[in-house]
Amino acid sequence: MDKVEAESAASPYITATFRIRRFNPEIAAEAVWEDFTIEIDPKERVLDALHKIKWDVDGTLTFRRSCAHGICGSDAMRINGRNRLACKTLIKDLSPEKPISVEPIKGLTVLKDLVVDMDPFFQAYRDVMPFLITSGNEPTRERLQSAADRERFDDTTKCILCAACTSSCPVFWNDGQYFGPAAIVNAHRFIFDSRDEAGEQRLEILNDRDGVWRCRTTFNCTDACPRGIEVTKAIQEVKRALITRRF
Amino acid sequence: MTTSDIKLTGSSSEISPENPAPVIEAPRARTAKTPKATRGNFEMYGWLFMRLSGIVLVVLVIGHLLIQLVLDGGVSKVSFAFVAGRWASPFWQAWDLIMLWLAMLHGANGLRTVINDYAERDNTRFWLKMLLYAATIFTVLLGTLVIFTFDPNIR
Ligand code: HEM
Ligand code: SF4
Ligand code: FES
């Protein structure tokens, strides 16, 4: 009985250090690491720690977040060297005895602290025409599809465009010209949709110099995806579709 | 009130028209103006070639290493006479010729990929590739010439 009481009275809080990559172009041209040591419940998420720092310690800390529940895709960042969503990463899973590093995702220009310029990422997304393209008259009812046809591209419908995959890809890091995994995932979602008629056009777009052939099967994208999408597999399926189309 | 009257606070206080914020260099970013679609299937054929030549190279290279370095006394047996003896047979001539061409083209295409990945400026990219192509063509032609014109009687 005493033991139980002692345990429930014990504070759930621990002291954790967050080593955050700070950058403010109005102050310095270089980014610097800054340590913030706070008291926090390890069952909370990294996003909660960032909130605590921003609200209680340093209001200039800048990051994106919107839904805070893994749906909007705005808070992908590099936490302890791996791309993850801050709102889906529990502090207790990061060995908080050691400083937890938090950096902006790589390969995109850092604007301030953890905020990067997402324009090149969304440009690649736009370039694969991520919308339904059909011919003929619009049907008066919904466009029907068998369960099996829907299953074919189910995995790639889950993407929330967080850029965790694209910004974990070494080919994208080297020069931002590669379409990147996220654009290919979203092309896959329509290429393999039986209702869509522009699969051929999208395949041709990804047959480009900076298309799927730049993929080196590193699997960083699959590891990074917070939605558990088999990203590398989707890219390979697009490659296979291109090859079988030709031969 | 003009803009210079506005008091900058906090992190922006050091910034003024005379002391502007530093420019952030963007990497080679994709924009709406990025040139689109190189037509043709060159990259696809390159990708297929790496895999197909790789499969053939496994056999050719491992066979080559075994014969030259392991079997029959290892590397110490390799001499002018040994090479002359092997190239007397059209089978080994063909083996070495195919291995030369496949390994050179495979290696060159692999390095082309590496250059495309790592060269940052278009100029560097271009000249590195020219150097690579020149070296490749030179080596392939020289090797081919030697295999076909090899004379076992030169001394
Ligand atoms: C022995 C059998 C070999 C196999 C099975 C093989 C297979 C491959 C494959 C599949 C790739 C493409 C990797 C990718 O795009 O992700 C590759 C790349 C490459 N190979 Fe080979 N290869 C072999 C021998 C060689 C030889 C003999 C050379 C040198 C002359 C060589 C040089 C390269 C280079 C420079 C690359 C590019 C590396 C990169 O993309 O990062 N390979 N190889
Ligand atoms: S595929 Fe996954 S990692 Fe890539 S943008 Fe979509 S949700 Fe993010
Ligand atoms: S804040 Fe929306 S995904 Fe994390």
Side-chain angles (χ1 to χ4, degrees), chain A residues 215-217, chain B residues 50-51 54-55 57-58 61 103 106-107 110-111 113-114:
Chain A
C215 165
R216 313 272 268 291
T217 345
Chain B
M50 289 309 268
R51 273 129 256 268
I55 295 168
L57 277 170
V58 170
V61 172
H106 177 103
L111 282 180
T113 314
V114 173

Side-chain angles (χ1 to χ4, degrees), chain A residues 121 158-166 181-182 185-186 221 224-229 231:
Chain A
F121 173 80
K158 298 179 201 153
C159 178
I160 56 173
L161 292 168
C162 66
C165 54
T166 295
V185 159
N186 287 280
C221 48
C225 181
R227 306 283 298 165
I229 299 172
V231 183

Side-chain angles (χ1 to χ4, degrees), chain B residues 17-32:
Chain B
E18 294 76 41
N19 181 29
V23 180
I24 313 166
E25 290 288 348
R28 279 167 31 96
R30 172 181 285 272
T31 66

Side-chain angles (χ1 to χ4, degrees), chain A residues 24-27 109-110 120 123-124 127 171 174-177 179 207-209 213-214 216 239 242-243 246-247, chain B residues 11-12 15 22 24 26-32 36-38 41 43-45 47-48 113 116-118 125:
Chain A
N24 182 347
E26 295 182 344
I27 289 186
T109 310
V110 180
Q123 187 59 49
D127 287 345
V171 177
N174 284 320
D175 73 345
Q177 303 297 293
F179 273 84
N207 198 21
D208 183 270
R209 175 163 42 90
W213 307 114
R214 289 204 80 170
R216 313 272 268 291
K239 286 181 192 163
L242 268 165
I243 290 173
R246 287 294 187 289
F247 297 101
Chain B
S11 64
S12 302
I15 306 300
I24 313 166
R28 279 167 31 96
R30 172 181 285 272
T31 66
K36 295 279 145 50
T38 46
N41 297 316
E43 294 297 332
M44 180 179 78
Y45 290 127
W47 186 90
L48 270 174
T113 314
N116 276 339
D117 277 352
Y118 287 105
R125 191 183 299 266

